Amino acid sequence: MPDLLRYSALAVFALIAAVVSPAHAFRVTTEGGPKIQSEGGNFELGLNARAHLDVHWFNQDNVDSRFPPFGSQVLGADEGSGFNWRRTYTTFTGRFYRLNFKFENDFAAGDFPHTLRETWVSTKLGSGLVTVGQFKPYRGLEELTSSNEITFMERPSTSSTGIYNGRQFLMGMGYKNTVGDKFGFGVDVMSLAHAGLPIEGLTYGGRVVWLPISDENTTMHFGFSFSRDQANAESLSASAVDIYGGRQGIRKSLGTAGVGMGSPGNATQTTFAAEAAYAMGPVTVQGEYANVRLDNTHLVAGAQKNSTVQAYYVQASWFVTGERALYRKDRGTFGKPKPISKWGALELAVRYDVAENTTQSLIADPCRTATSKCQVQVITLGANWYVRPGLRFMLNYYVTEASIGNAGAGEVNRKDEPYAISFRTQLSF
């Protein structure tokens, strides 16, 4: 299938080149995906695609009548399990003189234009790059890592899978730059909306990264990000969730800003996050911590109250076959290498992930569970087989502990402990 997609795309590009070649000189290349380039280098058009087919199987814990539904109890016996087209991207990238552009659509995401992903134009401004359109705000290590290169099938709770729920691709303007070989930064001002929604709400923030060590065999990375999301009735909400077992899996709300008085009111989320990573040879260790304030999430004695959500993870991966994760300075993230053996590359990984609304109690109830605790912990074990460039098989095993505390006087603490298994076939060119 990858070869068929590649050769079909190449045939289309060759046809385009044949049509325009009488007036201009073009060349067609295939490295990294089919690409048409003008001889003078002023025009370039490239095509890429990815397809992620997932299979999930969930095991539920037993329902306890003393406690409200929480964690896996909210699923029916057969919900979530089965096949799922997680992504089917088609991506056009190009350049026209000093103007760069990208148009990306995910056909597995529903109805157009909600299926649009990165859709922007950019150009050099000074030594940096200014971007206008729809793209990811500059928030964190795993959030900015491509879905083709993330170590696990899903991102942790410090990303749009968790604390930035539903706000992965937004519309606005950003500027990023690198300073020498050691520093980089990005700032953005955006609407809390993606294509197909009214341009409402506001978010602004940025990210800085520092590489004290960066050589052929060793990389040390530190980063810090800040964002402030001000939602309104027409925009995407400022909320935090915890999801495990893939997007078809189990979802638990950790609070939503602006619902404490039955109307949006002050619906602001303020997030501070720090990140660190160290890669030496085939081993990579990384982690992130985020502190989130959600304004006006609940009422106590008729007065609106705010919530604090903490989310963090630590993970480690090891290429058994000797490859090493590649650092991408333009993004400030890690990517995956090409296999060095004809049998491909094998990577083993483990992650511990925690998200909790620390304000939750029997009196304060931002999670809407009527329990004294609102915390989810997930351990994920992963194995990745990179058969060759563009083809990867992923296997994830999730073990979750959802702690909900006491539902009433004298009640024991309940911990839901379901588990899930997910498998992915990933194709790209």
Side-chain angles (χ1 to χ4, degrees):
M1 183 175 178
D3 289 335
L4 177 61
L5 290 172
R6 185 181 296 111
Y7 293 138
S8 298
L10 179 59
V12 172
F13 271 59
L15 179 61
I16 295 174
V19 171
V20 300
S21 60
H24 304 280
F26 286 85
R27 62 178 181 272
V28 179
T29 62
T30 60
E31 184 177 357
K35 184 180 296 183
I36 295 177
Q37 297 173 312
S38 65
E39 290 292 345
N42 293 322
F43 173 79
E44 180 179 296
L45 178 64
L47 171 66
N48 298 98
R50 72 187 71 171
H52 297 175
L53 176 62
D54 295 355
V55 185
H56 305 289
W57 182 77
F58 295 94
N59 176 71
Q60 294 177 259
D61 59 336
N62 296 321
V63 175
D64 191 327
S65 60
R66 297 175 299 170
F67 294 88
F70 190 93
S72 68
Q73 294 185 59
V74 301
L75 287 178
D78 58 353
E79 285 188 87
S81 298
F83 288 86
N84 169 42
W85 276 111
R86 180 66 181 85
R87 299 178 181 92
T88 54
Y89 279 23
T90 298
T91 305
F92 288 95
T93 56
R95 184 180 71 255
F96 185 73
Y97 289 88
R98 292 174 56 86
L99 193 67
N100 305 297
F101 60 89
K102 185 174 184 178
F103 179 87
E104 187 171 67
N105 191 71
D106 181 6
F107 292 94
D111 297 326
F112 187 85
H114 301 287
T115 56
L116 289 174
R117 293 301 179 250
E118 292 198 45
T119 308
W120 48 256
V121 294
S122 68
T123 189
K124 293 277 288 184
L125 181 62
S127 59
L129 192 70
V130 60
T131 302
V132 179
Q134 178 165 292
F135 56 97
K136 291 182 180 181
Y138 304 125
R139 293 169 165 170
L141 182 61
E142 277 292 285
E143 177 67 2
L144 294 175
T145 302
S146 167
S147 62
N148 272 337
E149 298 179 321
I150 51 179
T151 302
F152 296 92
M153 289 176 59
E154 300 296 341
R155 293 179 172 86
S157 59
T158 55
S159 69
S160 57
T161 301
I163 59 174
Y164 305 114
N165 175 43
R167 289 159 283 157
Q168 186 173 42
F169 298 97
L170 301 176
M171 292 187 290
M173 177 181 296
Y175 180 78
K176 64 180 181 179
N177 200 352
T178 57
V179 182
D181 293 330
K182 301 294 185 182
F183 294 93
F185 70 91
V187 293
D188 57 73
V189 178
M190 313 183 82
S191 168
L192 278 183
H194 53 67
L197 295 178
I199 300 177
E200 298 286 345
L202 175 69
T203 178
Y204 58 88
R207 177 178 181 242
V208 295
V209 298
W210 173 43
L211 296 176
I213 302 175
S214 179
D215 57 39
E216 184 177 353
N217 191 59
T218 306
T219 301
M220 180 177 286
H221 162 106
F222 294 100
F224 175 81
S225 62
F226 163 81
S227 67
R228 186 172 176 84
D229 296 3
Q230 298 174 332
N232 63 30
E234 300 297 325
S235 74
L236 295 170
S237 64
S239 64
V241 303
D242 197 281
I243 305 174
Y244 79 95
R247 294 297 173 91
Q248 297 293 102
I250 299 160
R251 173 186 294 259
K252 181 70 202 78
S253 172
L254 300 176
T256 301
V259 299
M261 298 183 69
S263 63
N266 182 17
T268 300
Q269 173 177 330
T270 305
T271 306
F272 294 89
E275 62 198 58
Y278 183 75
M280 184 174 64
V283 176
T284 302
V285 180
Q286 70 180 58
E288 297 184 66
Y289 171 83
N291 185 279
V292 180
R293 192 186 78 174
L294 295 168
D295 292 340
N296 186 18
T297 56
H298 59 288
L299 298 176
V300 175
Q304 70 175 41
K305 299 294 181 180
N306 305 327
S307 287
T308 298
V309 174
Q310 295 187 87
Y312 61 89
Y313 76 90
V314 289
Q315 73 179 47
S317 66
W318 170 44
F319 277 98
V320 179
T321 45
E323 291 82 0
R324 62 181 297 266
L326 304 177
Y327 190 81
R328 302 186 181 278
K329 289 188 178 181
D330 60 326
R331 299 178 187 172
T333 65
F334 286 92
K336 300 305 177 184
K338 295 180 179 179
I340 59 179
S341 166
K342 65 178 182 179
W343 303 108
L346 177 62
E347 181 184 28
L348 302 179
V350 60
R351 180 168 70 200
Y352 175 64
D353 187 8
V354 179
E356 178 180 13
N357 190 316
T358 60
T359 311
Q360 179 75 19
S361 69
L362 290 177
I363 297 175
D365 190 21
C367 291
R368 302 295 194 270
T369 59
T371 59
S372 65
K373 196 171 184 180
C374 181
Q375 180 194 71
V376 179
Q377 305 176 64
V378 184
I379 296 176
T380 308
L381 305 177
N384 299 316
W385 179 25
Y386 301 81
V387 182
R388 57 186 178 86
L391 177 59
R392 171 167 67 156
F393 295 108
M394 306 178 72
L395 179 66
N396 284 182
Y397 176 76
Y398 310 82
V399 179
T400 297
E401 182 176 277
S403 301
I404 60 178
N406 296 327
E411 298 271 354
V412 297
N413 181 66
R414 173 165 174 75
K415 295 182 178 180
D416 298 347
E417 296 181 339
Y419 61 86
I421 299 173
S422 297
F423 176 79
R424 170 174 295 167
T425 300
Q426 174 179 309
L427 304 172
S428 64
F429 70 84

